[in-house]
Amino acid sequence: MHRVEEFSHAGATLIAERRGHGERVYLLVHGIGMGRAVFADLARHLGDGEVIALDLPGYGEAPEPARVLTIERMADLVAAYLRERVDVPAVVVGHSMGAQIALEIAVRHPPVVDRIVLVGPTVDPAARTAPRQLWRLLRDIAVESPRVIAAGAREYVHAGPRIRAKFRAMLAHRPEDVLARAHAPALVLRGEDDPVAPPDWCARVAATLPDGRLAEVPDHGHETMIRDAAPAARLIRTFAGEA
């Protein structure tokens, strides 16, 4: 049974879709231009426990805030949701921009986090410009399936006309400056063919985290959790102690 709820804090609102029950809680945080719908396949494969997928403010069905939120402010909002609506520390799974948010939650609000999973983490400092990020995204999309392209297109439409400002907020965040302060156990997960999160950057992220490790999903790109999420789910469940 799915439950959908709104949560507001400091002038911004997110939407949370909750499914399942149990002591373990997975919280899924989407990337730029996306929404909770892209996690449908991953949620089905995450096994026992509760899975919570979010629409961040201005994405999916969540209303636009008065001002585009920084990565830090989005982390504060999600952490407030976890404190008020979730009884146990969560396994926070962030994809792409969502990995930046998951990282900041672990740094700024460690009590709400059991561990973090950074899937296809952005932003690689070697490509911290809009043209370079867009070029990497286009390279990834060019080899994806029609299902992935269609899902992404729908979500980008939902993200609305302020997508450029949201993109700037993502690029302004510097994950490399805070990695060493995230003490929760961390899994850095990348698709083997992901041009957005290249291997040298992901290896640097895993090595800089105090308790980090790196894993790859063969034959997948940046959208590894949209197209056939089962391999990623197995790695996440093993990391979380389920298997």
Side-chain angles (χ1 to χ4, degrees):
M1 180 177 179
H2 297 190
R3 296 162 289 150
V4 178
E5 61 187 13
E6 287 191 2
F7 176 80
S8 298
H9 174 79
T13 299
L14 60 76
I15 304 292
E17 182 175 345
R18 308 178 69 156
R19 66 176 75 190
H21 298 278
E23 293 185 1
R24 187 174 303 283
V25 175
Y26 293 99
L27 182 85
L28 312 182
V29 187
H30 61 78
I32 186 80
M34 297 286 110
R36 72 181 194 271
V38 301
F39 289 121
D41 193 40
L42 179 66
R44 284 194 293 269
H45 286 96
L46 277 178
D48 297 332
E50 182 176 14
V51 179
I52 306 172
L54 301 182
D55 284 339
L56 296 169
Y59 295 94
E61 297 178 352
E64 286 281 358
R67 298 178 62 182
V68 171
L69 273 62
T70 64
I71 295 295
E72 293 86 351
R73 295 286 81 78
M74 283 196 282
D76 292 345
L77 170 64
V78 176
Y81 170 78
L82 286 170
R83 277 194 301 271
E84 294 191 25
R85 301 289 177 90
V86 181
D87 295 332
V88 298
V91 179
V92 181
V93 181
H95 173 240
S96 196
M97 179 191 74
Q100 296 172 249
I101 297 168
L103 173 66
E104 285 290 349
I105 295 170
V107 170
R108 299 165 70 87
H109 307 279
V112 304
V113 174
D114 176 60
R115 57 195 68 206
I116 58 174
V117 182
L118 311 181
V119 185
T122 49
V123 176
D124 175 9
R128 190 178 279 119
T129 66
R132 288 182 179 180
Q133 284 293 305
L134 287 170
W135 172 240
R136 289 185 175 188
L137 284 167
L138 288 171
R139 284 170 55 201
D140 182 71
I141 290 170
V143 299
E144 282 291 1
S145 68
R147 173 190 172 195
V148 173
I149 295 170
R154 285 194 301 271
E155 294 303 322
Y156 266 87
V157 169
H158 288 162
R162 299 172 74 185
I163 189 66
R164 291 180 63 185
K166 295 169 185 176
F167 207 81
R168 287 195 296 269
M170 180 188 79
L171 292 175
H173 180 250
R174 299 176 62 88
E176 68 273 21
D177 291 347
V178 298
L179 286 165
R181 293 162 47 201
H183 293 282
L187 173 65
V188 180
L189 186 59
R190 71 176 296 270
E192 181 183 38
D193 304 318
D194 184 354
V196 180
D200 55 345
W201 164 239
C202 290
R204 176 182 172 187
V205 171
T208 307
L209 288 159
D211 188 6
R213 64 218 71 182
L214 176 64
E216 286 192 335
V217 181
D219 302 319
H220 281 65
H222 191 60
E223 308 300 343
T224 182
M225 293 184 298
I226 300 176
R227 176 174 58 85
D228 182 20
R234 284 194 294 270
L235 290 167
I236 294 169
R237 290 179 61 191
T238 298
F239 170 65
E242 279 196 33

